[in-house]
Amino acid sequence: MGVIKRSIRIDEQLANDIKCIAAEQTNKTETDIIETALKFYRDYYYMQNKTSFFNEQVIEIIQSTFRTAENSINQKTNRVLSELAIQAAVQNLILANSLDVKMKDLHVYRLKALDFLKENNRVLRMDEIIDG
């Protein structure tokens, strides 16, 4: 390690504080105190501007955990939605058979409902579809 001599200008009060810290409190030289202070500032600057709190491995682990949780939630949601779709189809078939609705009319109703949902991009409300 090479030693570089530099001249710096500091306030007289700061120079007195450094001398006091070096002589009375730590038994180190003024050069050691200034060098330690500069190292602290270098590390502070690096942490503030050039690095993140988390290293890449931690970020990858967190992202992997989130992907696993997202997949699990999606699978559970898909199962619930599939079950709801099956139940809705069963209810529609029961209603169609009980009311003696022709399959042709049932298909037309379904197409109207799908068109309405595509146009409005929201939940189907029966009062709006009947009026349309």
Side-chain angles (χ1 to χ4, degrees):
M1 178 175 96
V3 176
I4 298 175
K5 291 186 177 187
R6 298 263 184 198
S7 295
I8 57 170
R9 293 185 186 135
I10 57 173
D11 184 57
E12 187 177 337
Q13 179 66 37
L14 180 58
N16 290 335
D17 289 343
I18 292 171
K19 187 181 288 187
C20 178
I21 291 170
E24 298 172 6
Q25 297 177 5
T26 62
N27 294 325
K28 292 183 177 181
T29 66
E30 292 177 36
T31 303
D32 290 337
I33 299 298
I34 292 171
E35 185 178 353
T36 303
L38 290 172
K39 286 179 182 177
F40 278 129
Y41 184 76
R42 177 197 60 199
D43 294 343
Y44 166 79
Y45 180 82
Y46 181 79
M47 291 301 290
Q48 291 294 324
N49 298 306
K50 295 186 178 182
T51 188
S52 67
F53 183 71
F54 298 110
N55 62 21
E56 292 299 318
Q57 289 83 12
V58 174
I59 291 173
E60 288 175 10
I61 291 170
I62 291 171
Q63 287 175 341
S64 173
T65 303
F66 284 144
R67 281 192 298 270
T68 302
E70 184 181 15
N71 286 338
S72 175
I73 291 169
N74 284 342
Q75 289 174 358
K76 289 178 183 178
T77 303
N78 288 340
R79 274 188 254 134
V80 170
L81 289 175
S82 295
E83 184 60 33
L84 287 173
I86 292 169
Q87 292 298 325
V90 169
Q91 288 174 348
N92 287 340
L93 290 172
I94 292 170
L95 283 173
N97 285 334
S98 297
L99 298 174
D100 293 328
V101 176
K102 297 175 185 171
M103 290 304 283
K104 182 179 176 182
D105 292 337
L106 189 62
H107 183 68
V108 170
Y109 295 154
R110 183 177 182 282
L111 291 176
K112 280 185 180 180
L114 287 174
D115 288 340
F116 180 82
L117 289 174
K118 287 178 186 176
E119 288 175 15
N120 296 306
N121 197 19
R122 61 185 176 90
V123 178
L124 174 70
R125 287 182 43 194
M126 286 300 185
D127 59 341
E128 291 179 348
I129 195 148
I130 292 173
D131 294 338

